[in-house]
């Protein structure tokens, strides 16, 4: 088998086509949905929002259609879908009008198709 056949398939938020998966980024929101980007497209997304740091994404509104959540975690995965050591997360999770410390374990994110 070639390495291309073994790479994880993702649904890149940028709507790109024919971009090889060299690794990807998943943004996990407070409503448990997530948005994926190829690593190559992640940089373009950051530039479009004029953000200097990846941590500046934390707390922004989720970009999934009909979602009212906020970005709580940024997880980096290799081309095979395995989580790398690079990760950013909000230390506090907003629930309604209360702020609580997030004590949930953080493992691999499952794939979800966004509308």
């Amino acid at each position: 088998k070639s390495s291309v056949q073994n790479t994880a398939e993702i649904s890149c938020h940028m709507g790109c086509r024919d971009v090889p998966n060299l690794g990807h980024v998943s943004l996990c929101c407070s409503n448990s949905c997530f948005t994926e980007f190829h690593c190559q497209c992640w940089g373009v997304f950051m530039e479009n929002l004029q953000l200097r740091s990846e941590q500046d994404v934390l707390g922004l509104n989720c970009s999934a259609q009909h979602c009212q959540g906020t970005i709580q975690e940024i997880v980096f995965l290799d081309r095979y879908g395995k989580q790398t050591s690079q990760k950013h997360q909000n230390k506090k999770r907003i629930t309604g009008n209360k702020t609580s410390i997030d004590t949930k374990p953080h493992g691999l994110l499952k794939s979800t198709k966004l509308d």
Side-chain angles (χ1 to χ4, degrees):
K1 291 182 180 180
S2 76
S3 62
V4 173
Q5 291 174 337
N6 293 328
T7 58
E9 285 189 39
I10 72 163
S11 177
C12 185
H13 180 71
M14 299 295 283
C16 56
R17 298 189 190 278
D18 300 323
V19 173
N21 183 4
L22 304 176
H24 64 280
V25 179
S26 288
L27 305 180
C28 185
C29 94
S30 57
N31 285 341
S32 299
C33 64
F34 70 91
T35 306
E36 300 175 309
F37 297 86
H38 292 104
C39 284
Q40 306 92 303
C41 301
W42 175 241
V44 174
F45 175 77
M46 294 285 294
E47 285 179 26
N48 288 346
L49 291 180
Q50 298 179 348
L51 299 173
R52 291 185 225 151
S53 165
E54 290 167 338
Q55 292 178 338
D56 292 340
V57 173
L58 297 172
L60 293 180
N61 291 333
C62 181
S63 58
Q65 191 174 20
H66 307 297
C67 182
Q68 300 297 315
T70 58
I71 302 302
Q72 297 296 307
E73 185 174 46
I74 305 168
V75 179
F76 295 80
L77 300 106
D78 67 15
R79 68 181 353 162
Y80 306 107
K82 183 177 177 184
Q83 186 174 324
T84 68
S85 61
Q86 187 176 0
K87 177 164 95 171
H88 304 290
Q89 66 188 45
N90 259 347
K91 298 298 181 199
K92 295 182 180 179
R93 182 172 292 253
I94 307 300
T95 18
N97 292 329
K98 299 178 182 178
T99 302
S100 61
I101 300 297
D102 185 5
T103 57
K104 291 171 119 179
H106 299 283
L108 291 176
L109 298 175
K110 295 181 180 178
S111 294
T112 303
K113 184 169 182 167
L114 300 175
D115 293 333

